[in-house]
Amino acid sequence: MKIKKIASLVLCMVMLMSIIPLETAFAAPYISWMGDAFSANNLYYDDDLQSWKRHKDGYVSLYDSNGNRYFKEKAYDVVGLDEKGTKLISSKNSTKIVDKSGNLIKDFGDDDAFEAGYGYVHRYNSAGQYQLYNSKGYKVIAAGQYDYGNPVARKRVIVCDASGKYGMINNVGELIIPVKFNDIKYVSDERILVKNSSGYWGIIDINCNSILACMYTKLDYISDSRILASKSTNGCKRQSILQNKW
């Protein structure tokens, strides 16, 4: 008997859905905070239950978890930078880093700043020189110091200089791996794949200790205990899976 009732209920729901659009059946048409009503389809949330809505003219308004609008300027775009609610906001005349209360952390004064991942911000100055900032507004890479920075973790940034050599810095710009490699692939602090000046790959750790000598033409990370290694011997290309070699 219970099975028949459940089957009947499911059938009724299917029939109802064929008549009523999905967005009408399951979504409230409007959400109202502090007298500001807006379409639910234009409302976005982040991990801190902060939200922003996109207006019909393309601008964005920002709200805190209590529904109070905390950034008064018209914003074009909003990107969350870290777990503390810090955001990168692009407005009409500038790009800013603000905290979750809307307080200014850093004003870049132009539109040449953009989110880089892991809480960092790329920026090019008026001379076209690359810079990198963290979410606190601290300049991690000064203008002209490196050609580019690639954040790969919260406190790890791969850098490349004008000669095309790679190294790694931390979140305050301190050099932790010398800028001398032809390429770097970060897996973890214990496993960093590096390519030497002769074109061979090996593995080091964050303290530059050699884990696997640079003797392979290619290394591909598979798992914490396995690496796919390619090596040429007497003109023959050989591939093997290295297991538990570090």
PDB file of all heavy atoms in Angstrom, residues 227-243:
ATOM      1  N   ILE A 227      56.109   7.777 -10.397  1.00  0.00           N
ATOM      2  CA  ILE A 227      56.480   8.750 -11.413  1.00  0.00           C
ATOM      3  C   ILE A 227      56.713   8.006 -12.726  1.00  0.00           C
ATOM      4  O   ILE A 227      57.386   6.969 -12.755  1.00  0.00           O
ATOM      5  CB  ILE A 227      57.780   9.494 -11.032  1.00  0.00           C
ATOM      6  CG1 ILE A 227      57.546  10.400  -9.820  1.00  0.00           C
ATOM      7  CG2 ILE A 227      58.309  10.306 -12.205  1.00  0.00           C
ATOM      8  CD1 ILE A 227      56.780  11.665 -10.110  1.00  0.00           C
ATOM      9  N   LEU A 228      56.131   8.516 -13.829  1.00  0.00           N
ATOM     10  CA  LEU A 228      56.397   7.957 -15.149  1.00  0.00           C
ATOM     11  C   LEU A 228      57.626   8.667 -15.707  1.00  0.00           C
ATOM     12  O   LEU A 228      57.613   9.883 -15.921  1.00  0.00           O
ATOM     13  CB  LEU A 228      55.199   8.148 -16.078  1.00  0.00           C
ATOM     14  CG  LEU A 228      55.382   7.660 -17.526  1.00  0.00           C
ATOM     15  CD1 LEU A 228      55.629   6.153 -17.555  1.00  0.00           C
ATOM     16  CD2 LEU A 228      54.164   8.028 -18.369  1.00  0.00           C
ATOM     17  N   ALA A 229      58.699   7.927 -15.916  1.00  0.00           N
ATOM     18  CA  ALA A 229      59.970   8.505 -16.346  1.00  0.00           C
ATOM     19  C   ALA A 229      60.315   8.059 -17.760  1.00  0.00           C
ATOM     20  O   ALA A 229      60.139   6.888 -18.123  1.00  0.00           O
ATOM     21  CB  ALA A 229      61.079   8.091 -15.382  1.00  0.00           C
ATOM     22  N   SER A 230      60.798   9.018 -18.553  1.00  0.00           N
ATOM     23  CA  SER A 230      61.256   8.720 -19.917  1.00  0.00           C
ATOM     24  C   SER A 230      62.753   8.975 -19.995  1.00  0.00           C
ATOM     25  O   SER A 230      63.258   9.969 -19.464  1.00  0.00           O
ATOM     26  CB  SER A 230      60.529   9.604 -20.930  1.00  0.00           C
ATOM     27  OG  SER A 230      59.129   9.409 -20.874  1.00  0.00           O
ATOM     28  N   LYS A 231      63.469   8.074 -20.688  1.00  0.00           N
ATOM     29  CA  LYS A 231      64.920   8.192 -20.769  1.00  0.00           C
ATOM     30  C   LYS A 231      65.406   7.604 -22.094  1.00  0.00           C
ATOM     31  O   LYS A 231      64.895   6.580 -22.544  1.00  0.00           O
ATOM     32  CB  LYS A 231      65.570   7.446 -19.598  1.00  0.00           C
ATOM     33  CG  LYS A 231      67.061   7.653 -19.448  1.00  0.00           C
ATOM     34  CD  LYS A 231      67.568   6.928 -18.203  1.00  0.00           C
ATOM     35  CE  LYS A 231      69.059   7.137 -18.000  1.00  0.00           C
ATOM     36  NZ  LYS A 231      69.549   6.417 -16.801  1.00  0.00           N
ATOM     37  N   SER A 232      66.352   8.296 -22.714  1.00  0.00           N
ATOM     38  CA  SER A 232      66.909   7.804 -23.977  1.00  0.00           C
ATOM     39  C   SER A 232      68.252   7.139 -23.716  1.00  0.00           C
ATOM     40  O   SER A 232      69.138   7.729 -23.093  1.00  0.00           O
ATOM     41  CB  SER A 232      67.088   8.957 -24.977  1.00  0.00           C
ATOM     42  OG  SER A 232      65.838   9.497 -25.356  1.00  0.00           O
ATOM     43  N   THR A 233      68.376   5.899 -24.182  1.00  0.00           N
ATOM     44  CA  THR A 233      69.619   5.146 -24.025  1.00  0.00           C
ATOM     45  C   THR A 233      70.049   4.594 -25.378  1.00  0.00           C
ATOM     46  O   THR A 233      69.302   3.842 -26.008  1.00  0.00           O
ATOM     47  CB  THR A 233      69.435   3.974 -23.029  1.00  0.00           C
ATOM     48  OG1 THR A 233      68.945   4.498 -21.790  1.00  0.00           O
ATOM     49  CG2 THR A 233      70.748   3.253 -22.797  1.00  0.00           C
ATOM     50  N   ASN A 234      71.220   5.026 -25.845  1.00  0.00           N
ATOM     51  CA  ASN A 234      71.738   4.583 -27.147  1.00  0.00           C
ATOM     52  C   ASN A 234      70.734   4.835 -28.266  1.00  0.00           C
ATOM     53  O   ASN A 234      70.539   4.007 -29.163  1.00  0.00           O
ATOM     54  CB  ASN A 234      72.119   3.098 -27.100  1.00  0.00           C
ATOM     55  CG  ASN A 234      73.216   2.813 -26.104  1.00  0.00           C
ATOM     56  OD1 ASN A 234      74.121   3.622 -25.915  1.00  0.00           O
ATOM     57  ND2 ASN A 234      73.133   1.647 -25.457  1.00  0.00           N
ATOM     58  N   GLY A 235      70.088   5.992 -28.188  1.00  0.00           N
ATOM     59  CA  GLY A 235      69.141   6.362 -29.232  1.00  0.00           C
ATOM     60  C   GLY A 235      67.770   5.752 -29.086  1.00  0.00           C
ATOM     61  O   GLY A 235      66.878   6.021 -29.903  1.00  0.00           O
ATOM     62  N   CYS A 236      67.577   4.934 -28.075  1.00  0.00           N
ATOM     63  CA  CYS A 236      66.278   4.292 -27.861  1.00  0.00           C
ATOM     64  C   CYS A 236      65.553   4.958 -26.688  1.00  0.00           C
ATOM     65  O   CYS A 236      66.144   5.132 -25.615  1.00  0.00           O
ATOM     66  CB  CYS A 236      66.456   2.794 -27.580  1.00  0.00           C
ATOM     67  SG  CYS A 236      67.174   1.879 -28.950  1.00  0.00           S
ATOM     68  N   LYS A 237      64.318   5.293 -26.906  1.00  0.00           N
ATOM     69  CA  LYS A 237      63.518   5.908 -25.846  1.00  0.00           C
ATOM     70  C   LYS A 237      62.875   4.833 -24.998  1.00  0.00           C
ATOM     71  O   LYS A 237      62.233   3.917 -25.501  1.00  0.00           O
ATOM     72  CB  LYS A 237      62.425   6.804 -26.450  1.00  0.00           C
ATOM     73  CG  LYS A 237      61.588   7.527 -25.413  1.00  0.00           C
ATOM     74  CD  LYS A 237      60.533   8.403 -26.071  1.00  0.00           C
ATOM     75  CE  LYS A 237      59.674   9.099 -25.017  1.00  0.00           C
ATOM     76  NZ  LYS A 237      58.626   9.947 -25.631  1.00  0.00           N
ATOM     77  N   ARG A 238      63.079   4.935 -23.703  1.00  0.00           N
ATOM     78  CA  ARG A 238      62.508   3.961 -22.782  1.00  0.00           C
ATOM     79  C   ARG A 238      61.661   4.679 -21.727  1.00  0.00           C
ATOM     80  O   ARG A 238      62.019   5.757 -21.267  1.00  0.00           O
ATOM     81  CB  ARG A 238      63.611   3.151 -22.099  1.00  0.00           C
ATOM     82  CG  ARG A 238      64.474   2.349 -23.049  1.00  0.00           C
ATOM     83  CD  ARG A 238      65.562   1.613 -22.306  1.00  0.00           C
ATOM     84  NE  ARG A 238      66.426   0.854 -23.205  1.00  0.00           N
ATOM     85  CZ  ARG A 238      66.170  -0.375 -23.618  1.00  0.00           C
ATOM     86  NH1 ARG A 238      65.073  -0.993 -23.184  1.00  0.00           N
ATOM     87  NH2 ARG A 238      66.999  -0.990 -24.438  1.00  0.00           N
ATOM     88  N   GLN A 239      60.571   4.059 -21.372  1.00  0.00           N
ATOM     89  CA  GLN A 239      59.706   4.595 -20.335  1.00  0.00           C
ATOM     90  C   GLN A 239      59.535   3.576 -19.218  1.00  0.00           C
ATOM     91  O   GLN A 239      59.444   2.376 -19.479  1.00  0.00           O
ATOM     92  CB  GLN A 239      58.325   4.960 -20.897  1.00  0.00           C
ATOM     93  CG  GLN A 239      58.313   6.216 -21.749  1.00  0.00           C
ATOM     94  CD  GLN A 239      56.907   6.611 -22.151  1.00  0.00           C
ATOM     95  OE1 GLN A 239      56.131   5.794 -22.638  1.00  0.00           O
ATOM     96  NE2 GLN A 239      56.571   7.869 -21.936  1.00  0.00           N
ATOM     97  N   SER A 240      59.494   4.067 -18.005  1.00  0.00           N
ATOM     98  CA  SER A 240      59.302   3.164 -16.876  1.00  0.00           C
ATOM     99  C   SER A 240      58.593   3.917 -15.757  1.00  0.00           C
ATOM    100  O   SER A 240      58.638   5.152 -15.689  1.00  0.00           O
ATOM    101  CB  SER A 240      60.644   2.619 -16.377  1.00  0.00           C
ATOM    102  OG  SER A 240      61.504   3.677 -16.015  1.00  0.00           O
ATOM    103  N   ILE A 241      57.951   3.164 -14.899  1.00  0.00           N
ATOM    104  CA  ILE A 241      57.299   3.745 -13.730  1.00  0.00           C
ATOM    105  C   ILE A 241      58.219   3.565 -12.535  1.00  0.00           C
ATOM    106  O   ILE A 241      58.565   2.441 -12.157  1.00  0.00           O
ATOM    107  CB  ILE A 241      55.926   3.098 -13.464  1.00  0.00           C
ATOM    108  CG1 ILE A 241      54.967   3.405 -14.611  1.00  0.00           C
ATOM    109  CG2 ILE A 241      55.360   3.585 -12.141  1.00  0.00           C
ATOM    110  CD1 ILE A 241      53.591   2.781 -14.459  1.00  0.00           C
ATOM    111  N   LEU A 242      58.637   4.687 -11.965  1.00  0.00           N
ATOM    112  CA  LEU A 242      59.488   4.653 -10.779  1.00  0.00           C
ATOM    113  C   LEU A 242      58.594   4.641  -9.556  1.00  0.00           C
ATOM    114  O   LEU A 242      57.728   5.508  -9.409  1.00  0.00           O
ATOM    115  CB  LEU A 242      60.415   5.863 -10.769  1.00  0.00           C
ATOM    116  CG  LEU A 242      61.261   6.091 -12.014  1.00  0.00           C
ATOM    117  CD1 LEU A 242      62.115   7.334 -11.852  1.00  0.00           C
ATOM    118  CD2 LEU A 242      62.140   4.877 -12.324  1.00  0.00           C
ATOM    119  N   GLN A 243      58.784   3.688  -8.704  1.00  0.00           N
ATOM    120  CA  GLN A 243      57.928   3.545  -7.518  1.00  0.00           C
ATOM    121  C   GLN A 243      58.766   3.559  -6.246  1.00  0.00           C
ATOM    122  O   GLN A 243      59.756   2.852  -6.129  1.00  0.00           O
ATOM    123  CB  GLN A 243      57.130   2.235  -7.602  1.00  0.00           C
ATOM    124  CG  GLN A 243      56.144   2.066  -6.455  1.00  0.00           C
ATOM    125  CD  GLN A 243      55.195   0.912  -6.690  1.00  0.00           C
ATOM    126  OE1 GLN A 243      55.132   0.374  -7.779  1.00  0.00           O
ATOM    127  NE2 GLN A 243      54.460   0.541  -5.667  1.00  0.00           N
TER     128      GLN A 243
END
